[in-house]
Amino acid sequence: MATGILLAVLSGVLWGVCFLPMRYTKQFAWENTWFIWAFTCCLLFPPTIAYFTIPDLLQVFREVGVRLNLIILGVGLVAGMSGICIGLGLRKVGMAITNSLSSGVALAVGAFVPLAVQHRSVLFTNVGLTLYLGLILAVAGVVICALAGSKRNGESAYASQSHQATNKRRSIILQGIVLAIVAGLLTPAQNFGMAFADTFMKVARAHGSSEAFMAFAFYIPYFGTSFVSNGIYCAWLWKKNNSLAQFREPCAVRFTALSVGMAALWIGGCILYGWAMPWMKTFGPVVAWPISMVTTNLTSAFVEYLYGDWEGKALQALTYGLVVLTIAIGIFGYSSFMIATAL
């Protein structure tokens, strides 16, 4: 269990810093940076990793069946729209606010709503009371973090000067907060697809894949259509902003390398999270996920603090918000543990 917890923490660290290179790509149009990131982590890495780690990969998809593959392809489109909101939110308000707001909203909605719909009787038990407390704290944490973002005086370290010059600072902050919240609202919709991920992993394991990499059988269709959503949006921005020409500039190689680095860190977090699962037995998802979420939020906030993005009242409010969200995540994790042990 200790090894699994360490791996979950390390995955959260990588997810917490993976978008840091965006600070150094501000002169590269957002759509160019995001397209490279999406292409690398959605279309390049998953099939490559799966090819070398999952025997008989095509047979795995055949055994899963057409219907289930189509469901996952559809869910991937929703995941892609959530990713677009996160990417745009990052440019406007940075990693700490985007991660904390999106994860807080996703946690509250994703953990509470399915239980209320499918197991309403549980809401009147000790598990339900624990979830109510977690929900209240999650909402409070999201509100406090949003207020912290509104108190920042500095400009966004992730957006170009031209973007900030054409938009008022308050407007940029408000847009970023709204985008992060929308991303959090869209994320639970992915649970419908994630509920079927176990089928992909079981078939992959039956064909000889290790537990650490079997999830990549699911990632291929899931991330594949996630890229479609992101790619279409980036193409629309290329036409609108005439920014595709930047790829012919000398600095494009450096910016491309930074964008690929972002994708590598993000995929690295996915791999470490997958490695954590076998060490935690059946409690992997209910223990590892809250740990990774907490670590992601705290890491991104700490990194931005080192860069000087947070100070004064904004830093104080962000600290309060992260503490409240961390407690809420812990409570939801404990509730999941209670449910799992009762089954």
Side-chain angles (χ1 to χ4, degrees):
M1 179 69 80
T3 301
I5 291 174
L6 176 60
L7 290 170
V9 168
L10 291 176
S11 72
V13 170
L14 290 186
W15 285 333
V17 302
C18 69
F19 294 114
L20 186 62
M22 285 187 73
R23 300 178 73 101
Y24 305 101
T25 62
K26 291 186 292 185
Q27 302 310 312
F28 207 40
W30 176 88
E31 52 269 27
N32 293 339
T33 299
W34 199 252
F35 178 85
I36 296 169
W37 176 84
F39 176 83
T40 306
C41 70
C42 292
L43 285 190
L44 182 60
F45 282 154
T48 302
I49 294 172
Y51 177 80
F52 288 105
T53 59
I54 302 177
D56 300 323
L57 184 58
L58 292 178
Q59 184 60 32
V60 171
F61 294 125
R62 293 191 190 100
E63 291 186 21
V64 167
V66 175
R67 177 177 174 273
L68 189 50
N69 277 294
L70 289 176
I71 290 174
I72 301 307
L73 290 172
V75 172
L77 290 172
V78 177
M81 290 184 283
S82 174
I84 291 170
C85 291
I86 288 177
L88 292 172
L90 282 164
R91 178 172 67 163
K92 296 178 183 298
V93 292
M95 296 188 302
I97 289 297
T98 302
N99 285 334
S100 59
L101 291 181
S102 61
S103 65
V105 172
L107 186 69
V109 177
F112 189 81
V113 172
L115 192 66
V117 173
Q118 299 175 1
H119 306 284
R120 187 169 300 178
S121 60
V122 175
L123 297 178
F124 303 98
T125 65
N126 289 336
V127 174
L129 294 176
T130 305
L131 282 172
Y132 281 126
L133 177 60
L135 177 65
I136 293 170
L137 289 176
V139 172
V142 167
V143 171
I144 295 171
C145 286
L147 290 174
S150 68
K151 291 179 181 292
R152 288 175 62 179
N153 294 319
E155 304 291 353
S156 172
Y158 300 82
S160 65
Q161 292 182 349
S162 60
H163 173 77
Q164 299 185 65
T166 56
N167 295 273
K168 294 183 179 179
R169 189 181 66 83
R170 288 287 180 183
S171 176
I172 292 175
I173 292 174
L174 179 60
Q175 291 171 19
I177 290 173
V178 171
L179 285 166
I181 291 175
V182 171
L185 290 172
L186 286 174
T187 299
Q190 302 171 28
N191 289 344
F192 179 65
M194 292 297 287
F196 297 105
D198 190 51
T199 301
F200 284 84
M201 293 187 287
K202 285 181 178 178
V203 175
R205 183 166 51 189
H207 281 268
S209 173
S210 68
E211 292 186 344
F213 292 101
M214 60 187 183
F216 279 87
F218 167 76
Y219 289 157
I220 290 176
Y222 180 71
F223 288 144
T225 47
S226 293
F227 169 76
V228 172
S229 300
N230 286 269
I232 291 174
Y233 184 68
C234 289
W236 178 75
L237 290 178
W238 285 335
K239 182 178 180 181
K240 176 185 176 184
N241 301 327
N242 194 28
S243 51
L244 187 60
Q246 285 188 333
F247 281 105
R248 295 195 295 267
E249 298 176 0
C251 59
V253 175
R254 177 165 61 91
F255 291 143
T256 297
L258 288 169
S259 302
V260 171
M262 288 194 324
L265 289 170
W266 192 81
I267 284 292
C270 292
I271 293 174
L272 288 174
Y273 185 78
W275 285 352
M277 293 297 101
W279 292 95
M280 294 186 173
K281 307 301 180 182
T282 57
F283 297 113
V286 300
V287 176
W289 186 242
I291 291 174
S292 292
M293 289 181 67
V294 168
T295 308
T296 299
N297 290 343
L298 295 180
T299 299
S300 58
F302 180 69
V303 169
E304 289 190 345
Y305 169 75
L306 293 179
Y307 270 91
D309 292 354
W310 295 93
E311 57 184 14
K313 292 182 178 180
L315 174 61
Q316 187 179 36
L318 178 66
T319 302
Y320 291 150
L322 289 174
V323 168
V324 173
L325 276 179
T326 299
I327 295 173
I329 291 172
I331 289 174
F332 278 118
Y334 177 67
S335 300
S336 299
F337 181 81
M338 293 171 64
I339 294 171
T341 53
L343 295 177

